[in-house]
Amino acid sequence: QKEVEQNSGPLSVPEGAIASLNCTYSDRGSQSFFWYRQYSGKSPELIMFIYSNGDKEDGRFTAQLNKASQYVSLLIRDSQPSDSATYLCAVKGNNRLAFGKGNQVVVIP
Amino acid sequence: NAGVTQTPKFQVLKTGQSMTLQCAQDMNHNSMYWYRQDPGMGLRLIYYSASEGTTDKGEVPNGYNVSRLNKREFSLRLESAAPSQTSVYFCASSRTGVGVGNTEAFFGQGTRLTVV
């Protein structure tokens, strides 16, 4: 079992709709959780971090964490064409930072 | 601020050649990481260093060695390059700690390596 799993295939959403991305992790001791965005040919950049169970909102982005289910999600509201990118889930524990394989999001104008 | 600087940005190697990828950060971070990224595979951790003087294997360490030269610098060495090591390599750094703020990783620009 991989440390961090993102199993959904490419996600196409109409402009203005909500994009929903999911991530599960295997290390129950993990304590820090991150969502990164990566445009083609560029480095990953941080969108959100979350440490506590529940929801955390930042602008059009909401991260959700459920440690009991070992599950992290990201919602993108009012999706814009500029949101078209690959979204990477990352999990940190004992200073080891592991990433999922990413989900490609395409926002259709 | 330069942040995380990687060199070189592009490199072509012949099978069996060796090379070292350099990484330096100016954010006074304790933790540094090396990843490789292949199509459809996400970022896979090669090695990481939680602090100066320590290094640990990640998910895919075979064929690589690392050196944490000092707090700023973390290098990745390929002793005998193989075509399977063709990839984009990213160095990253972060503050140490979990469950607290400002511990996200910052990335370098990446090194695109081709082994022929």
Side-chain angles (χ1 to χ4, degrees), chain A residues 37-45 81-87:
Chain A
R37 177 177 62 201
Q38 186 178 27
Y39 293 113
S40 181
K42 301 295 186 181
S43 303
E45 56 181 353
S82 60
D83 295 327
S84 297
T86 296
Y87 290 80

PDB file of all heavy atoms in Angstrom, chain A residues 37-45 81-87:
ATOM      1  N   ARG A  37      -0.470  22.541  -5.920  1.00  0.00           N
ATOM      2  CA  ARG A  37      -0.887  22.659  -7.321  1.00  0.00           C
ATOM      3  C   ARG A  37       0.373  22.699  -8.175  1.00  0.00           C
ATOM      4  O   ARG A  37       1.340  23.369  -7.831  1.00  0.00           O
ATOM      5  CB  ARG A  37      -1.708  23.934  -7.522  1.00  0.00           C
ATOM      6  CG  ARG A  37      -2.131  24.209  -8.952  1.00  0.00           C
ATOM      7  CD  ARG A  37      -3.008  25.458  -9.011  1.00  0.00           C
ATOM      8  NE  ARG A  37      -2.285  26.628  -8.552  1.00  0.00           N
ATOM      9  CZ  ARG A  37      -2.872  27.745  -8.117  1.00  0.00           C
ATOM     10  NH1 ARG A  37      -4.192  27.819  -8.084  1.00  0.00           N
ATOM     11  NH2 ARG A  37      -2.152  28.771  -7.729  1.00  0.00           N
ATOM     12  N   GLN A  38       0.334  22.008  -9.301  1.00  0.00           N
ATOM     13  CA  GLN A  38       1.483  21.991 -10.191  1.00  0.00           C
ATOM     14  C   GLN A  38       1.008  22.198 -11.624  1.00  0.00           C
ATOM     15  O   GLN A  38       0.262  21.388 -12.170  1.00  0.00           O
ATOM     16  CB  GLN A  38       2.257  20.672 -10.081  1.00  0.00           C
ATOM     17  CG  GLN A  38       3.548  20.657 -10.889  1.00  0.00           C
ATOM     18  CD  GLN A  38       4.325  19.371 -10.726  1.00  0.00           C
ATOM     19  OE1 GLN A  38       3.755  18.316 -10.445  1.00  0.00           O
ATOM     20  NE2 GLN A  38       5.649  19.436 -10.906  1.00  0.00           N
ATOM     21  N   TYR A  39       1.459  23.290 -12.215  1.00  0.00           N
ATOM     22  CA  TYR A  39       1.207  23.532 -13.620  1.00  0.00           C
ATOM     23  C   TYR A  39       2.256  22.776 -14.432  1.00  0.00           C
ATOM     24  O   TYR A  39       3.362  22.526 -13.957  1.00  0.00           O
ATOM     25  CB  TYR A  39       1.270  25.026 -13.940  1.00  0.00           C
ATOM     26  CG  TYR A  39       0.156  25.831 -13.310  1.00  0.00           C
ATOM     27  CD1 TYR A  39       0.420  26.775 -12.313  1.00  0.00           C
ATOM     28  CD2 TYR A  39      -1.164  25.653 -13.704  1.00  0.00           C
ATOM     29  CE1 TYR A  39      -0.588  27.523 -11.742  1.00  0.00           C
ATOM     30  CE2 TYR A  39      -2.188  26.405 -13.140  1.00  0.00           C
ATOM     31  CZ  TYR A  39      -1.890  27.325 -12.152  1.00  0.00           C
ATOM     32  OH  TYR A  39      -2.913  28.056 -11.588  1.00  0.00           O
ATOM     33  N   SER A  40       1.886  22.443 -15.660  1.00  0.00           N
ATOM     34  CA  SER A  40       2.758  21.657 -16.525  1.00  0.00           C
ATOM     35  C   SER A  40       4.126  22.315 -16.683  1.00  0.00           C
ATOM     36  O   SER A  40       4.212  23.495 -17.016  1.00  0.00           O
ATOM     37  CB  SER A  40       2.106  21.470 -17.892  1.00  0.00           C
ATOM     38  OG  SER A  40       2.936  20.699 -18.737  1.00  0.00           O
ATOM     39  N   GLY A  41       5.179  21.569 -16.388  1.00  0.00           N
ATOM     40  CA  GLY A  41       6.532  22.081 -16.546  1.00  0.00           C
ATOM     41  C   GLY A  41       7.022  22.963 -15.415  1.00  0.00           C
ATOM     42  O   GLY A  41       8.119  23.513 -15.498  1.00  0.00           O
ATOM     43  N   LYS A  42       6.200  23.097 -14.372  1.00  0.00           N
ATOM     44  CA  LYS A  42       6.568  23.964 -13.250  1.00  0.00           C
ATOM     45  C   LYS A  42       6.730  23.160 -11.970  1.00  0.00           C
ATOM     46  O   LYS A  42       6.421  21.978 -11.909  1.00  0.00           O
ATOM     47  CB  LYS A  42       5.486  25.032 -13.043  1.00  0.00           C
ATOM     48  CG  LYS A  42       5.241  25.910 -14.246  1.00  0.00           C
ATOM     49  CD  LYS A  42       6.461  26.763 -14.565  1.00  0.00           C
ATOM     50  CE  LYS A  42       6.174  27.746 -15.684  1.00  0.00           C
ATOM     51  NZ  LYS A  42       7.365  28.561 -16.025  1.00  0.00           N
ATOM     52  N   SER A  43       7.211  23.833 -10.940  1.00  0.00           N
ATOM     53  CA  SER A  43       7.360  23.200  -9.629  1.00  0.00           C
ATOM     54  C   SER A  43       6.035  23.228  -8.876  1.00  0.00           C
ATOM     55  O   SER A  43       5.208  24.107  -9.113  1.00  0.00           O
ATOM     56  CB  SER A  43       8.411  23.954  -8.813  1.00  0.00           C
ATOM     57  OG  SER A  43       9.644  24.019  -9.481  1.00  0.00           O
ATOM     58  N   PRO A  44       5.846  22.297  -7.943  1.00  0.00           N
ATOM     59  CA  PRO A  44       4.634  22.343  -7.108  1.00  0.00           C
ATOM     60  C   PRO A  44       4.623  23.597  -6.229  1.00  0.00           C
ATOM     61  O   PRO A  44       5.671  24.049  -5.757  1.00  0.00           O
ATOM     62  CB  PRO A  44       4.762  21.083  -6.246  1.00  0.00           C
ATOM     63  CG  PRO A  44       5.693  20.185  -6.992  1.00  0.00           C
ATOM     64  CD  PRO A  44       6.651  21.103  -7.677  1.00  0.00           C
ATOM     65  N   GLU A  45       3.441  24.125  -6.005  1.00  0.00           N
ATOM     66  CA  GLU A  45       3.279  25.276  -5.118  1.00  0.00           C
ATOM     67  C   GLU A  45       2.145  24.980  -4.143  1.00  0.00           C
ATOM     68  O   GLU A  45       1.137  24.377  -4.494  1.00  0.00           O
ATOM     69  CB  GLU A  45       2.988  26.547  -5.914  1.00  0.00           C
ATOM     70  CG  GLU A  45       1.790  26.458  -6.824  1.00  0.00           C
ATOM     71  CD  GLU A  45       1.543  27.728  -7.625  1.00  0.00           C
ATOM     72  OE1 GLU A  45       2.230  28.739  -7.364  1.00  0.00           O
ATOM     73  OE2 GLU A  45       0.671  27.716  -8.506  1.00  0.00           O
ATOM     74  N   PRO A  81     -10.711  28.594 -15.333  1.00  0.00           N
ATOM     75  CA  PRO A  81      -9.741  27.968 -16.250  1.00  0.00           C
ATOM     76  C   PRO A  81      -8.317  27.965 -15.698  1.00  0.00           C
ATOM     77  O   PRO A  81      -7.554  27.028 -15.954  1.00  0.00           O
ATOM     78  CB  PRO A  81      -9.858  28.833 -17.504  1.00  0.00           C
ATOM     79  CG  PRO A  81     -11.277  29.308 -17.492  1.00  0.00           C
ATOM     80  CD  PRO A  81     -11.587  29.549 -16.037  1.00  0.00           C
ATOM     81  N   SER A  82      -7.985  28.974 -14.883  1.00  0.00           N
ATOM     82  CA  SER A  82      -6.637  29.033 -14.294  1.00  0.00           C
ATOM     83  C   SER A  82      -6.408  27.953 -13.234  1.00  0.00           C
ATOM     84  O   SER A  82      -5.278  27.743 -12.786  1.00  0.00           O
ATOM     85  CB  SER A  82      -6.397  30.404 -13.663  1.00  0.00           C
ATOM     86  OG  SER A  82      -7.353  30.646 -12.648  1.00  0.00           O
ATOM     87  N   ASP A  83      -7.494  27.268 -12.821  1.00  0.00           N
ATOM     88  CA  ASP A  83      -7.355  26.161 -11.870  1.00  0.00           C
ATOM     89  C   ASP A  83      -6.938  24.867 -12.562  1.00  0.00           C
ATOM     90  O   ASP A  83      -6.661  23.866 -11.893  1.00  0.00           O
ATOM     91  CB  ASP A  83      -8.674  25.919 -11.125  1.00  0.00           C
ATOM     92  CG  ASP A  83      -9.074  27.080 -10.231  1.00  0.00           C
ATOM     93  OD1 ASP A  83      -8.171  27.744  -9.683  1.00  0.00           O
ATOM     94  OD2 ASP A  83     -10.298  27.327 -10.092  1.00  0.00           O
ATOM     95  N   SER A  84      -6.917  24.868 -13.883  1.00  0.00           N
ATOM     96  CA  SER A  84      -6.497  23.672 -14.629  1.00  0.00           C
ATOM     97  C   SER A  84      -5.030  23.375 -14.327  1.00  0.00           C
ATOM     98  O   SER A  84      -4.141  24.171 -14.644  1.00  0.00           O
ATOM     99  CB  SER A  84      -6.690  23.888 -16.139  1.00  0.00           C
ATOM    100  OG  SER A  84      -8.053  24.066 -16.439  1.00  0.00           O
ATOM    101  N   ALA A  85      -4.801  22.241 -13.682  1.00  0.00           N
ATOM    102  CA  ALA A  85      -3.460  21.883 -13.208  1.00  0.00           C
ATOM    103  C   ALA A  85      -3.528  20.480 -12.618  1.00  0.00           C
ATOM    104  O   ALA A  85      -4.594  19.867 -12.576  1.00  0.00           O
ATOM    105  CB  ALA A  85      -2.977  22.869 -12.135  1.00  0.00           C
ATOM    106  N   THR A  86      -2.391  20.007 -12.141  1.00  0.00           N
ATOM    107  CA  THR A  86      -2.356  18.763 -11.383  1.00  0.00           C
ATOM    108  C   THR A  86      -2.291  19.106  -9.906  1.00  0.00           C
ATOM    109  O   THR A  86      -1.509  19.974  -9.493  1.00  0.00           O
ATOM    110  CB  THR A  86      -1.142  17.906 -11.784  1.00  0.00           C
ATOM    111  OG1 THR A  86      -1.272  17.522 -13.151  1.00  0.00           O
ATOM    112  CG2 THR A  86      -1.051  16.645 -10.923  1.00  0.00           C
ATOM    113  N   TYR A  87      -3.118  18.428  -9.109  1.00  0.00           N
ATOM    114  CA  TYR A  87      -3.188  18.692  -7.671  1.00  0.00           C
ATOM    115  C   TYR A  87      -2.599  17.506  -6.921  1.00  0.00           C
ATOM    116  O   TYR A  87      -3.004  16.364  -7.115  1.00  0.00           O
ATOM    117  CB  TYR A  87      -4.631  18.960  -7.254  1.00  0.00           C
ATOM    118  CG  TYR A  87      -5.109  20.292  -7.801  1.00  0.00           C
ATOM    119  CD1 TYR A  87      -5.520  20.397  -9.122  1.00  0.00           C
ATOM    120  CD2 TYR A  87      -5.081  21.441  -7.011  1.00  0.00           C
ATOM    121  CE1 TYR A  87      -5.904  21.619  -9.649  1.00  0.00           C
ATOM    122  CE2 TYR A  87      -5.468  22.660  -7.531  1.00  0.00           C
ATOM    123  CZ  TYR A  87      -5.872  22.745  -8.851  1.00  0.00           C
ATOM    124  OH  TYR A  87      -6.247  23.959  -9.377  1.00  0.00           O
TER     125      TYR A  87
END
